[in-house]
Amino acid sequence: MNAPASLPIAAPAETHALIAGASIAGAGARLPIFYPATGAQVGELIEDDAAQIDRAVAAARTAFKSGWAKLAVEKRQEILLKLHDVVLAHADELARLECLNTGIVMRELRERHMKRAAYNFRFFAEYIAHAKGEVYDQTPGYRSVVVREPVGVAALIAPWNAPTALASMKIAACLAFGNTCVLKPSEQTPLALRRFVELLHAAGLPEGVVNLVNGRGATTGAALVAHPGVDLVSFTGGTQTGRAIAAEAGRRLKPVTMELGGKSANIVFASADLDRALDAALVGIYSNNGQQCLAGSRILLERNIADAFIARFVARARGIRIGDPTDDRTELGPLASAAHRDRVLGFVDVAKADGAALLTGGKRADMPGALAGGYFVEPTAVRVGSSAARVCREEIFGPFASFLTFETYDEAISAANDSDFGLVAYVWSDHVPTVERATRDLAAGVVWVNTPMTRELRAPFGGYKDSGLGREGGEACERFYTEVKTVTVPSTPVAVRKLGLPTG
């Protein structure tokens, strides 16, 4: 097929599985891969069936048993640091492939996503150097030692909104603690992760430690999760899919971690630095093309500052530069697919039906030339009357902000917590007692105070309620990717009761 001149990089004509370091062509459906900025098809993904899953899981099991699980920590560190270096060395190539597949602005991919992907390996290399066991000797005559051992083969299922940055966290943690894995990217966005896994092997990763399969969740993903050779599952994606995965994993008692949807409250009190809060509110909903579970999509404003804040927000939103994601001046690129664009725009009518006022956007962005076929949406914002509105309850996952107002602290917290989700929350206030109360009262797994989204890898990350199960982060990943074993040894020979001897 003919590639438009504006493509950031050439894509392979076909994307195949990578099993035990070798490219393996599947026998399943051929799925088109599109460049969201133009709508042009740029390649095909060959879907993997149950037979391919068998091969991938077997390769991971062989690698696990043949030495990776028993590899010395120092050697595992050495390999992880090499993986860090190779990702950085190829950051531009990976960013271009990711841009081709997702439409995320190249600047964000280079400066944030790929640096984060590389750092994940360095972080866990450093973490395992300080991992420790436990010793209990309170019981006289005994010493019990608690150690952690790798679990086995992990199924790692990555999302389409930040494929490399989020998948690399799972891969790095899984490998650091001695496990092997089978990775399944989203069928929409396989390109950068396919090359990423190739690069890991080029850097010296043993064959079979990381394997990659491709396909849709209902086929490839379902077969992977249900496979009896998979010991644990880590998934990032939508809540409905997460429920199905958790149910299937539960039938086999496989541990799962799930980072699912979000509908995060961004609360701005009158006591905040309003200029900084405004900047952060715009970043919080419109960065990454609005497609992030961490988005501050519900902006709650104290009533006496609301009108002025909204007016400034709308003016700034209308000035956001929409365009070619390969242009560093672009601030908002296309949505990931035509279907998703239409879904996001469908919420404009939903909002109006609930009595919301459309403040800005709400339609496709008119783009010139080859970009006219892209999946561009204008930055959108609405003002709603209460948190009962559907746009405040459902995850839209696009550049779509909903404004609410409140009079009192209690009203703000009540509205923020009135959600099925609880991933993150934002609090903007320079009044310390307000901040202290809010951090205790908000029902969210992460609360960010006077800062846009940030990530401390040492701390656990995950959500309450429908936003997920389990946590990721240093110690949280150690708990998930290891089994706990207690070994008890007597200090002297133990007198054992003798059964079955004759009496008298």
Side-chain angles (χ1 to χ4, degrees):
M1 68 196 62
N2 295 323
S6 59
L7 287 181
I9 195 171
E14 295 182 350
T15 297
H16 300 146
L18 193 64
I19 299 173
S23 181
I24 307 291
R30 305 178 74 91
L31 307 176
I33 301 171
F34 298 98
Y35 179 36
T38 64
Q41 183 175 341
V42 294
E44 285 186 320
L45 175 149
I46 312 303
E47 188 166 58
D48 294 310
D49 58 14
Q52 289 283 80
I53 300 301
D54 280 341
R55 294 182 67 169
V57 173
R61 180 66 59 190
T62 298
F64 179 75
K65 290 183 175 180
S66 64
W68 184 256
K70 301 297 183 184
L71 205 63
V73 169
E74 291 82 0
K75 181 62 178 176
R76 208 177 296 142
Q77 283 181 287
E78 178 185 324
I79 294 173
L80 290 170
L81 291 172
K82 285 181 180 178
L83 303 186
H84 163 271
D85 293 345
V86 77
V87 173
L88 280 186
H90 291 265
D92 185 70
E93 176 190 5
L94 291 170
R96 290 180 180 278
L97 284 167
E98 196 93 307
C99 178
L100 179 64
N101 226 178
T102 65
I104 298 171
V105 177
M106 187 82 74
R107 181 191 64 258
E108 290 189 30
L109 291 169
R110 280 197 315 265
E111 296 176 5
R112 293 178 51 237
H113 293 227
M114 298 311 153
K115 289 182 179 179
R116 161 70 189 279
Y119 178 67
N120 286 332
F121 290 101
R122 178 181 153 195
F123 171 81
F124 281 103
E126 294 171 348
Y127 182 92
I128 59 176
H130 304 285
K132 58 186 183 299
E134 303 167 7
V135 176
Y136 297 94
D137 55 10
Q138 291 92 333
T139 300
Y142 290 91
R143 172 167 291 178
S144 293
V145 178
V146 180
V147 297
R148 289 189 172 272
E149 298 179 346
V151 179
V153 175
L156 308 179
I157 303 177
W160 52 259
N161 64 311
T164 304
L166 297 179
S168 61
M169 176 74 176
K170 299 180 188 296
I171 296 169
C174 176
L175 269 55
F177 299 110
N179 303 277
T180 58
C181 66
V182 179
L183 170 69
K184 192 200 85 68
S186 165
E187 69 276 12
Q188 289 181 223
T189 55
L191 296 179
L193 279 176
R194 178 56 165 75
R195 179 60 177 149
F196 183 84
V197 176
E198 283 183 344
L199 292 170
L200 300 188
H201 286 86
L205 188 69
E207 293 179 1
V209 174
V210 177
N211 307 275
L212 180 143
V213 294
N214 291 299
R216 292 164 291 185
T219 52
T220 310
L224 180 59
V225 171
H227 197 286
V230 167
D231 300 304
L232 65 170
V233 180
S234 178
F235 170 74
T236 298
T239 298
Q240 183 176 351
T241 303
R243 286 194 178 100
I245 290 173
E248 178 59 42
R251 278 190 273 273
R252 297 182 182 271
L253 297 180
K254 296 178 185 181
V256 296
T257 57
M258 304 248 162
E259 200 243 283
L260 306 176
K263 194 67 185 175
S264 301
N266 184 7
I267 310 172
V268 183
F269 291 94
S271 53
D273 179 327
L274 297 179
D275 290 334
R276 187 175 291 115
L278 175 64
D279 291 340
L282 289 156
V283 168
I285 187 58
Y286 297 134
S287 61
N288 211 61
N289 301 345
Q291 299 167 142
Q292 49 195 349
C293 55
L294 309 178
S297 54
R298 292 185 295 146
I299 304 173
L300 280 59
L301 303 172
E302 196 161 351
R303 192 175 301 280
N304 61 344
I305 63 167
D307 291 344
F309 190 100
I310 290 172
R312 294 174 66 195
F313 181 99
V314 168
R316 291 274 296 275
R318 289 173 177 166
I320 287 175
R321 292 184 290 276
I322 311 170
D324 187 341
T326 66
D327 186 339
D328 282 353
R329 294 170 297 180
T330 295
E331 294 174 319
L332 185 69
L335 297 188
S337 69
H340 187 55
R341 174 202 61 202
D342 295 343
R343 178 183 179 275
V344 169
L345 289 176
F347 276 95
V348 175
D349 289 337
V350 169
K352 290 178 178 178
D354 282 342
L358 178 64
L359 302 172
T360 190
K363 62 182 185 295
R364 294 179 62 174
D366 293 327
M367 307 302 296
L371 300 179
Y375 314 136
F376 294 89
V377 170
E378 291 184 353
T380 299
V382 299
R383 187 167 182 171
V384 301
S386 79
S387 58
R390 276 184 62 192
V391 292
C392 289
R393 308 205 68 79
E394 298 183 28
E395 186 176 35
I396 299 173
F397 215 69
F400 195 121
S402 300
F403 283 98
L404 288 157
T405 60
F406 63 89
E407 294 279 2
T408 66
Y409 170 87
D410 288 340
E411 190 179 335
I413 299 302
S414 176
N417 288 341
D418 184 17
S419 173
D420 293 333
F421 298 102
L423 187 55
V424 305
Y426 303 79
V427 177
W428 293 87
S429 174
D430 287 341
H431 182 241
V432 174
T434 296
V435 168
E436 287 293 319
R437 286 182 68 191
T439 57
R440 290 192 298 270
D441 294 342
L442 286 165
V446 175
V447 179
W448 285 317
V449 177
N450 293 334
T451 182
M453 58 192 71
T454 186
R455 183 71 184 273
E456 170 54 77
L457 293 188
R458 296 159 192 82
F461 178 87
Y464 289 14
K465 299 183 279 188
D466 284 359
S467 287
L469 296 170
R471 297 292 186 268
E472 288 187 336
E475 184 179 354
C477 285
E478 181 179 12
R479 291 177 181 274
F480 179 67
Y481 288 106
T482 59
E483 292 276 19
V484 178
K485 178 183 285 184
T486 299
V487 180
T488 300
V489 180
S491 55
T492 59
V494 175
V496 180
R497 182 183 173 196
K498 300 181 186 299
L499 300 179
L501 295 179
T503 59

